[in-house]
């Protein structure tokens, strides 16, 4: 597991990029719940960390593709395949990504 943040570090509606084992991940705080996704839009292999959260969706700034960070499902074209997600675990005062 990777420690991604302190429990109060990431405010609701914000994202944080984490790099581990040659893989970029994105920690997202949606209404106080944490979710983790791969920081790479599957539509054009562009970093999602350049985008922003819109409700439950992360929006790619390149073409506007959107994905639900809770399950990786595409929610707006041109997205047509799921985004990889990772389990998030809260332990004591830390937020950890199991990836």
């Amino acid at each position: 597991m990777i420690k991604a943040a302190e429990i109060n570090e990431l405010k609701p509606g914000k994202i944080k990029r984490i790099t581990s084992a040659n893989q970029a991940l994105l920690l997202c705080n949606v209404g106080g719940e944490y979710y983790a996704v791969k920081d790479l839009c599957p539509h054009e292999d562009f970093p999602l960390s350049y985008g922003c959260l819109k409700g439950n969706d992360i929006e790619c700034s390149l073409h506007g593709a959107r994905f639900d960070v809770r399950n990786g499902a595409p929610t707006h074209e041109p997205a047509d395949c799921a985004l990889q997600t990772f389990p998030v675990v809260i332990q004591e005062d830390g937020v950890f990504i199991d990836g």
Side-chain angles (χ1 to χ4, degrees), residues 17-74:
R17 186 175 196 267
I18 294 97
T19 304
S20 176
N22 300 322
Q23 178 169 237
L25 305 174
L26 198 59
L27 181 66
C28 308
N29 184 333
V30 177
E33 297 289 325
Y34 293 95
Y35 301 93
V37 297
K38 188 169 186 175
D39 184 21
L40 195 63
C41 179
H43 171 248
E44 283 289 332
D45 293 335
F46 190 77
L48 290 169
S49 53
Y50 291 125
C52 62
L53 274 178
K54 293 189 175 185
N56 299 322
D57 290 354
I58 184 76
E59 181 178 64
C60 179
S61 63
L62 187 62
H63 291 118
R66 288 171 124 185
F67 306 87
D68 188 327
V69 298
R70 299 171 300 173
N71 56 24

